[in-house]
Amino acid sequence: MRISNRVWLLSLLFGNVFLSSALAQTITGLQPGVKAPEISLSDQTGKPQNLGTLTGPNGLLLLFFRSADWCPFCKGQLVDLERAQKLFAAKGIQVAGVSYDSPQVLAEFSRRKSITYPLLSDKGSKLIDAFGIRNVAATGEQAGIPVPGYYLISQQGIIEKRFFEDGYINRLTANNVYQNIFGDVALPQPVRTLPSPHVELATMHSYKEVTPGELVRLVVSITPDQDTHVYAPGAEKDHYIVASLTLDPSNLYSVRPTIYPKPEMMHFPESNETEPVYTGKTILDTSVAAVVNKDTLAIFAKDPQLHVTGSLEYQACTSKVCFPRIRVPLSWTIQLTELDRVRAASAKVN
């Protein structure tokens, strides 16, 4: 669903509902390698759940979220996980969510958004405390909420991985988590091929549509031609032009550092140099998230799309010749979906 001007204007008027707390959050909690606490909670249908009933043959992906009632970023993340849950199940991993919401709130949200995986009601935030992720700065209606994030728990009940962000607005999409776990993409990505000399070049992003604040992975794929390499970070010390992905700064999105894969080392007898290079298909990636504040919401009300621009620079060489520096302009367009601001009629916090 595209974002209507009315919804964005409501966000401007009532933005303090979700912008009142500090954006930064202190992340503590249980670390990988330790046994996960026992779970004994009821889901949105009233069914009792525990680690045994929740865990698939290869584990459980457990999402702690703030609220399915008043937190629009959480609601977008829960819907996003619904889209990907069958793909996790195909890998033997079941998914579930935990919040301090009442079973009635979770049931109402699940019916409204067709959520089919278990959402667990943690009355008194006992499981949240057992994982050590209570947001101690939260007060009033929000007292007892967790710092939002994912835990990956093995079939034996051991925490294998955890995925948290520094700010509550920025959320990892299920696709981000899937890629971190499996090194692959969960959902089809739009791919755009670009003409460029001496290499095959393509760009893609992890989602066509996201709610504001969700992290979107942006990828550039470089495949050098036969008998061709491009220089990798580290070769600049010998004055070579290294492959670099740079996004243009903007007040509309935040940018994560570019991740560069490990290069191979190539020796050049003529110069007696050994340099880091890429010779095969190489993936450079970064992540962006739409900034959420009153100024950006006013802009997105007119154009509910995130336009991201940047460039790729590289120098390609064969065994006989080095070509001049190449700079390729890049762009991505990401549709922004509506923030879900519908409150539960049965809202009762614990």
Side-chain angles (χ1 to χ4, degrees), residues 21-34:
S21 300
L23 301 188
Q25 53 191 10
T26 302
I27 303 172
T28 55
L30 297 181
Q31 300 295 320
V34 304

Side-chain angles (χ1 to χ4, degrees), residues 91-110:
K91 295 285 191 178
I93 294 176
Q94 299 299 326
V95 303
V98 180
S99 81
Y100 77 157
D101 289 320
S102 69
Q104 294 84 0
V105 167
L106 297 176
E108 184 177 334
F109 177 76
S110 296

Side-chain angles (χ1 to χ4, degrees), residues 34-346:
V34 304
K35 189 169 180 60
E38 290 297 325
I39 296 176
S40 181
L41 299 173
S42 295
D43 65 18
Q44 69 267 47
T45 69
K47 178 181 177 181
Q49 298 279 8
N50 56 50
L51 270 176
T53 60
L54 293 169
T55 304
N58 292 325
L60 167 67
L61 184 65
L62 190 61
L63 170 62
F64 285 89
F65 62 98
R66 288 151 52 96
S67 176
D69 172 32
W70 50 263
C71 177
F73 309 104
C74 303
K75 289 183 269 190
Q77 191 174 33
L78 293 170
V79 172
D80 169 63
L81 184 57
E82 175 67 32
R83 290 196 294 257
Q85 66 131 335
K86 290 183 179 179
L87 295 160
F88 281 102
K91 295 285 191 178
I93 294 176
Q94 299 299 326
V95 303
V98 180
S99 81
Y100 77 157
D101 289 320
S102 69
Q104 294 84 0
V105 167
L106 297 176
E108 184 177 334
F109 177 76
S110 296
R111 286 192 298 269
R112 187 166 62 84
K113 291 296 186 180
S114 301
I115 303 299
T116 59
Y117 59 87
L119 297 181
L120 307 178
S121 176
D122 186 17
K123 185 175 182 178
S125 304
K126 293 180 181 179
L127 186 64
I128 292 168
D129 287 336
F131 273 84
I133 55 172
R134 179 191 282 253
N135 184 335
V136 296
T139 59
E141 179 187 37
Q142 298 182 10
I145 63 173
V147 173
Y150 285 95
Y151 275 97
L152 178 64
I153 303 170
S154 73
Q155 208 275 336
Q156 293 74 35
I158 304 300
I159 295 174
E160 294 187 333
K161 294 177 181 289
R162 49 178 264 162
F163 307 95
F164 286 80
E165 289 298 317
D166 292 335
Y168 74 80
I169 287 179
N170 291 143
R171 302 299 178 92
L172 288 168
T173 63
N175 214 348
N176 292 130
V177 175
Y178 189 98
Q179 289 165 337
N180 272 288
I181 296 172
F182 302 112
D184 198 0
V185 296
L187 299 171
Q189 300 183 92
V191 178
R192 179 186 177 197
T193 57
L194 300 173
S196 191
H198 320 302
V199 302
E200 292 181 8
L201 190 62
T203 63
M204 61 196 78
H205 51 282
S206 56
Y207 277 109
K208 292 181 180 179
E209 296 184 343
V210 295
T211 54
E214 284 189 312
L215 287 168
V216 181
R217 185 177 181 229
L218 305 182
V219 172
V220 176
S221 170
I222 310 171
T223 306
D225 294 344
Q226 188 174 2
D227 187 34
T228 302
H229 61 269
V230 297
Y231 288 99
E236 67 275 8
K237 62 181 175 55
D238 292 321
H239 309 292
Y240 294 103
I241 305 301
V242 302
S244 61
L245 168 60
T246 304
L247 298 188
D248 299 329
S250 172
N251 293 328
L252 299 181
Y253 54 80
S254 60
V255 181
R256 300 299 172 91
T258 299
I259 299 173
Y260 295 90
K262 184 178 179 179
E264 62 181 280
M265 302 303 294
M266 180 177 289
H267 184 67
F268 300 92
E270 299 84 357
S271 59
N272 195 29
E273 294 175 335
T274 301
E275 302 292 346
V277 300
Y278 300 127
T279 59
K281 184 176 180 179
T282 301
I283 300 296
L284 311 182
D285 70 88
T286 183
S287 295
V288 300
V291 171
V292 180
N293 59 44
K294 291 183 178 180
D295 292 335
T296 61
L297 290 178
I299 294 171
F300 295 145
K302 298 177 182 177
D303 179 11
Q305 293 183 324
L306 190 63
H307 302 282
V308 182
T309 58
S311 62
L312 173 74
E313 289 193 345
Y314 66 91
Q315 181 179 26
C317 297
T318 68
S319 57
K320 297 180 179 180
V321 61
C322 277
F323 302 102
R325 175 205 305 246
I326 298 294
R327 182 182 182 276
V328 183
L330 304 174
S331 64
W332 294 265
T333 299
I334 303 158
Q335 186 71 38
L336 298 177
T337 58
E338 181 178 326
L339 287 172
D340 183 352
R341 307 186 60 76
V342 177
R343 296 292 301 265
S346 58

